[in-house]
Amino acid sequence: MEDKEIQIGKYKIKVVAKDCIGAASCIAVSPGVFKLDENNKAVFVDGAADEAENILMAAQSCPTKAIVVTDAETGQQVWPD
Ligand code: SF4
C-alpha cells in the first residue's frame, strides 16, 4: 500500500501504511485529519485540517509510530524523534 503525505500548516504528515495497525488513537485525537479506510488503515480526511500541535499529539498517540511529522520549512523530522 502506498504511503500518503499531506501538508497542513507548517507540518508535512505521512502515514506509513505498513506500520498502521488500525488502533485509531490518531482518529480519537484528531478526527479532522485522520480516518480509517476500508482496510483499517489510517488515511487523511478530505480537506484535512487541525491545529499543528494537535496533529503532533495525534502522531505521538500512535502505538506503532506510524505517523511521521516533518517540518515543511526546515525539512527536519519532528516525530518520531
Ligand atoms: S494511531 Fe497509528 S496505528 Fe492507529 S490508526 Fe492511527 S496511524 Fe494507524
Side-chain angles (χ1 to χ4, degrees), residues 2 5 17 29 32 40 76-77 80-81:
E2 192 189 333
E5 188 175 50
V29 176
N40 256 2
Q76 220 170 22
Q77 188 168 307
D81 57 10

Side-chain angles (χ1 to χ4, degrees), residues 38-69:
E38 64 280 4
N39 300 311
N40 256 2
K41 298 282 185 185
V43 293
F44 298 111
V45 173
D46 288 338
D50 199 353
E51 300 290 324
E53 292 317 307
N54 203 49
I55 294 168
L56 187 56
M57 269 202 323
Q60 290 168 341
S61 78
C62 176
T64 62
K65 297 185 176 169
I67 302 171
V68 179
V69 180

Side-chain angles (χ1 to χ4, degrees), residues 6-52:
I6 60 168
Q7 182 171 347
I8 303 176
K10 63 178 178 179
Y11 288 147
K12 279 189 180 155
I13 309 144
K14 183 167 75 176
V15 176
V16 181
K18 72 170 175 53
D19 293 338
C20 175
I21 57 168
S25 9
C26 58
I27 294 146
V29 176
S30 182
V33 173
F34 301 100
K35 63 177 182 178
L36 286 183
D37 71 4
E38 64 280 4
N39 300 311
N40 256 2
K41 298 282 185 185
V43 293
F44 298 111
V45 173
D46 288 338
D50 199 353
E51 300 290 324

